[in-house]
Amino acid sequence: KNQVEQSPQSLIILEGKNCTLQCNYTVSPFSNLRWYKQDTGRGPVSLTIMTFSENTKSNGRYTATLDADTKQSSLHITASQLSDSASYICVVREGDNTDKLIFGTGTRLQVFP
Amino acid sequence: EAQVTQNPRYLITVTGKKLTVTCSQNMNHEYMSWYRQDPGLGLRQIYYSMNVEVTDKGDVPEGYKVSRKEKRNFPLILESPSPNQTSLYFCASSLFGSVSYNEQFFGPGTRLTVL
């Protein structure tokens, strides 16, 4: 069964600290992997999209890595800010023809001053 | 402003009373989709549409209907809502469903409570 699993479920850090969120997937066939940020009560917003040939991709203070061999991805947040408090969802696109996305359950990040 | 809009944002209804949640996008996207989000579960796809007059079931289609008569609109219909359809619903769209790299844009969500 195609699945996306994320860890940890929740995380609390202090403002200015770094953190890393993990994602493991078993989706096949694999097309690409995405990280979304979802603020409370709002729709998810895309942070990065990575294909199997991309190992690292950055978007400001967010850096995503992908190891297609081990089927693992991570999202590293540098110098966290209060506005980073949100759920971060790992999403894998299955195949190439239907834009079908398999969603992880997300990591709930809280950044405290 | 390019966006996906949903209405209503919040809705409380009773079992069996038909309702429609509207979704509209102004980006000329071909692909549109409906998801539901429940605590402890990832977003799950209800229905999707690759283009006008083309719709297909997602992972959890039971109890829902959709239509795609025009490109910009993709309403979600609950003919006879039940309490297990209480959830947070998201509409999303992307340029082409068949292109792997295109981004899906999500609406703001509709929180539905069925009593």
Side-chain angles (χ1 to χ4, degrees):
Chain A
K1 181 182 177 182
N2 285 336
Q3 284 186 313
V4 176
E5 295 184 351
Q6 293 185 243
S7 61
Q9 280 191 320
S10 61
L11 183 61
I12 297 174
I13 63 174
L14 294 176
E15 187 178 14
K17 297 296 186 183
N18 304 336
C19 67
T20 299
L21 314 179
Q22 302 291 344
C23 173
N24 297 335
Y25 63 91
T26 59
V27 178
S28 180
F30 173 87
S31 177
N32 57 55
L33 184 143
R34 307 155 185 226
W35 282 94
Y36 281 84
K37 178 185 179 187
Q38 185 178 19
D39 292 313
T40 301
R42 307 190 72 169
V45 175
S46 178
L47 293 174
T48 65
I49 300 177
M50 302 174 70
T51 64
F52 70 92
S53 61
E54 296 174 291
N55 300 120
T56 303
K57 200 161 195 178
S58 292
N59 177 359
R61 293 179 298 102
Y62 302 103
T63 299
T65 66
L66 174 63
D67 186 334
D69 292 330
T70 62
K71 298 187 177 181
Q72 295 180 323
S73 176
S74 66
L75 180 69
H76 186 75
I77 304 175
T78 303
S80 61
Q81 301 176 357
L82 299 179
S83 59
D84 292 332
S85 295
S87 287
Y88 292 85
I89 305 173
C90 178
V91 186
V92 177
R93 179 179 157 129
E94 176 189 304
D96 287 321
N97 295 319
T98 65
D99 212 20
K100 179 172 175 63
L101 303 181
I102 312 295
F103 290 79
T105 55
T107 292
R108 176 70 184 161
L109 175 65
Q110 293 179 276
V111 181
F112 286 104
Chain B
E1 179 189 356
Q3 59 183 346
V4 178
T5 56
Q6 296 178 225
N7 281 291
R9 294 289 315 279
Y10 303 91
L11 180 60
I12 300 174
T13 189
V14 294
T15 299
K17 186 175 182 181
K18 180 180 179 180
L19 66 92
T20 299
V21 183
T22 65
C23 172
S24 182
Q25 50 91 8
N26 61 2
M27 296 170 279
N28 202 36
H29 285 171
E30 287 190 357
Y31 182 92
M32 297 185 76
S33 181
W34 276 103
Y35 299 92
R36 60 178 289 173
Q37 186 175 37
D38 301 291
L41 300 175
L43 275 79
R44 294 177 293 167
Q45 190 177 52
I46 302 171
Y47 268 94
Y48 65 95
S49 170
M50 297 287 281
N51 212 327
V52 176
E53 300 293 0
V54 180
T55 64
D56 210 342
K57 296 177 180 179
D59 298 315
V60 289
E62 294 78 21
Y64 305 95
K65 284 175 56 177
V66 293
S67 68
R68 187 90 181 275
K69 293 183 169 53
E70 48 190 342
K71 204 171 191 178
R72 64 183 296 126
N73 296 324
F74 190 45
L76 179 70
I77 303 157
L78 285 73
E79 293 272 3
S80 182
S82 62
N84 64 13
Q85 291 178 299
T86 293
S87 187
L88 181 58
Y89 292 86
F90 288 101
C91 180
S93 72
S94 62
L95 189 56
F96 301 113
S98 58
V99 174
S100 66
Y101 213 75
N102 59 192
E103 182 178 340
Q104 275 199 24
F105 294 87
F106 286 80
T110 294
R111 184 166 294 281
L112 171 66
T113 302
V114 183
L115 302 174

